[in-house]
Amino acid sequence: MTQIDDLSSLVGVALDLGAEQVSGWSDAEKELANEATTGSIDVSAIASLIQAGFDPLGDAFCVIRDAENRRPLGQTYTPAPIVSSMVKWAAKKGSPTRVVDPGVGSGRYLVEAGREWPNAFLLGADVDPLAALMARANLAANNMSSRARVELVDYRKLELSPANGMTAFIGNPPYVRHHQLGTEWKKWLTAQAAEFKLPASQLAGLHVHFFLATAKLARPGDIGAFITSAEWLDVNYGRLVRDLLLHRLGGESVHVIDPTASPFADAATTGAVSCFRVGSAVQSMRLRSVASVGELGSLDGGREISRERLQEATRWGPLVRVSPKLEEGLVELGELCRVHRGQVTGANAVWVADPSGVKLPSEVLYPSITKAKELFAAGESLADLSALRVVIDLPSDLDELDLASRRQVERFLRIAKKQGADATYIAKARKAWWSVGLRAPAPILATYMARRPPAFVRNGAGARHINIAHGLYPRDELAPGTLDSLARYLRTSVTLGQGRTYAGGLTKFEPREMERLPVPHPEVLLHHAATEAAHLEFDRA
């Protein structure tokens, strides 16, 4: 056997490299060791690669245990350039006496930190015994065994003795969605956040738990740099991270990596590196977006955002994605149009119907965009309503209906009530539970969540839309040709990188984010429209 091609050989190589020399050896690792075959692979070449800065064990692990099987533990290994940037940032803050990696994996952060700080104690935590073995082996191969320890423990249970100096918390907290976290851990999150007088959502993923665990373990003067999915910048459950950075953790900067840069080989997500100095009074934080991993550098730069503005903002993503200075002739879309998400029905099974199967007066049936694929299929313009389903949108005052229509509606409402349409949260919040309240037709309709750039469609047929699409409503009247030019420009210029990418690979454009898209000034659009009209006239001639 000359290569690492299964878990047994991976364990054997880790042992041959000296994994047992690193303290913290656990019973689970001993069990793996007892079943492994040692001495079957010449490890001298592997040791040389490790000493040269490579991670052949981690690379082999990611092949042997594919992304699907690593997902339950959130095992996404960080590329070396990102690790280097984070350690370089920490090095500018001083020399820690201890470095802690909360999800050590194969030890990439600890090894890099060990090279940067020859006297620092290196402590890693992980729940996977195989990962712990790899980390030990990498540390041993780099002659760091005597000042390292790896513990097989959930980071939230880790205990730290007082350090005679600064501790650096640095790593890639595992991304595990809340569905996979037990009830007890969700209760833990709520209770521990309450100790800091902060609210916490039980919809938070594991990376949020790790930020909170760090706030509990760290002491004033400690530093930290974590790379996570950027979701916490904008979602409600991310408020806890934002609050911790503004208070206990002492946030200094956040650096968001453009999703098109694909910072992780096996995870489609927008990465965010958060840097903090525990206990420091936050007057402002630096926020920036970089187009590639190479632009991270030592995590300098970024736009200063005041504490007050960060506290007021319910989402930080738009603050990160502030438009650069616009080129001459460009303005933000929001200067021309308001962007509104479509109405939430509260019960699509009741309020969205095939027009041929519903017995209601035509004046309460509104052909509507109810699926994003309808806009993708429409192309440049939606000119025909016949293929669309209808949304049943009844007036709040049913006395507006004539007697025959009123009887039809009342029969329908009795059925709707039996289906619970009156008891949904949305229905209870309405003036009348039966009135969906669709917006007027938007001249341009847009998708906002997909794995492809948004579709921008001219709504020539006057379709309504529900909350699977955005509507673009001009602030001032725009001529039809100008609207055509605007939709055409958006279709050809907007990229996925201008949206926010979630860990599952979907890219989303919130209404305010879409309003920040750069578009030509109305005069330029008008000129384009006139030019296009002239070309069409010439073609006809």
Side-chain angles (χ1 to χ4, degrees), residues 379-393:
E380 295 183 3
S381 177
L382 181 67
D384 183 9
L385 299 175
S386 62
L388 299 181
R389 295 187 293 174
V390 296
V391 173
I392 301 163
D393 193 7

Side-chain angles (χ1 to χ4, degrees), residues 155-237:
Y155 180 61
R156 294 166 291 186
K157 293 181 178 179
L158 183 68
E159 296 181 359
L160 293 179
S161 58
N164 185 24
M166 180 175 73
T167 296
F169 296 85
I170 188 165
N172 177 1
Y175 181 87
V176 178
R177 296 182 68 82
H178 76 92
H179 311 85
Q180 297 169 259
L181 304 179
T183 302
E184 289 305 311
W185 280 120
K186 292 185 176 186
K187 290 180 179 178
W188 174 90
L189 183 76
T190 303
Q192 299 303 322
E195 290 188 8
F196 293 116
K197 296 181 170 56
L198 296 175
S201 167
Q202 295 193 357
L203 300 180
L206 185 58
H207 56 299
V208 176
H209 291 226
F210 275 40
F211 272 100
L212 181 58
T214 302
K216 285 175 55 63
L217 290 169
R219 297 293 175 262
D222 291 345
I223 61 172
F226 288 161
I227 182 167
T228 63
S229 165
E231 288 179 13
W232 63 264
L233 289 164
D234 295 302
V235 294
N236 289 335
Y237 75 67

Side-chain angles (χ1 to χ4, degrees), residues 166-312:
M166 180 175 73
T167 296
F169 296 85
I170 188 165
N172 177 1
Y175 181 87
V176 178
R177 296 182 68 82
H178 76 92
H179 311 85
Q180 297 169 259
L181 304 179
T183 302
E184 289 305 311
W185 280 120
K186 292 185 176 186
K187 290 180 179 178
W188 174 90
L189 183 76
T190 303
Q192 299 303 322
E195 290 188 8
F196 293 116
K197 296 181 170 56
L198 296 175
S201 167
Q202 295 193 357
L203 300 180
L206 185 58
H207 56 299
V208 176
H209 291 226
F210 275 40
F211 272 100
L212 181 58
T214 302
K216 285 175 55 63
L217 290 169
R219 297 293 175 262
D222 291 345
I223 61 172
F226 288 161
I227 182 167
T228 63
S229 165
E231 288 179 13
W232 63 264
L233 289 164
D234 295 302
V235 294
N236 289 335
Y237 75 67
R239 178 183 172 185
L240 178 56
V241 177
R242 300 193 293 271
D243 285 343
L244 286 170
L245 289 175
L246 287 175
H247 297 93
R248 171 72 177 176
L249 286 180
E252 289 198 354
S253 60
V254 178
H255 310 262
V256 177
I257 306 170
D258 191 305
T260 60
S262 301
F264 298 99
D266 51 15
T269 186
T270 303
V273 181
S274 307
C275 303
F276 50 91
R277 183 182 284 277
V278 180
S280 62
V282 178
Q283 301 303 320
S284 65
M285 286 178 60
R286 290 180 291 106
L287 307 184
R288 71 164 175 159
S289 178
V290 297
S292 67
V293 169
E295 289 182 30
L296 283 173
S298 56
L299 303 179
D300 296 314
R303 179 169 173 262
E304 292 281 346
I305 306 293
S306 70
R307 177 192 183 96
E308 291 74 19
R309 189 171 182 195
L310 291 167
Q311 285 180 317
E312 291 171 357

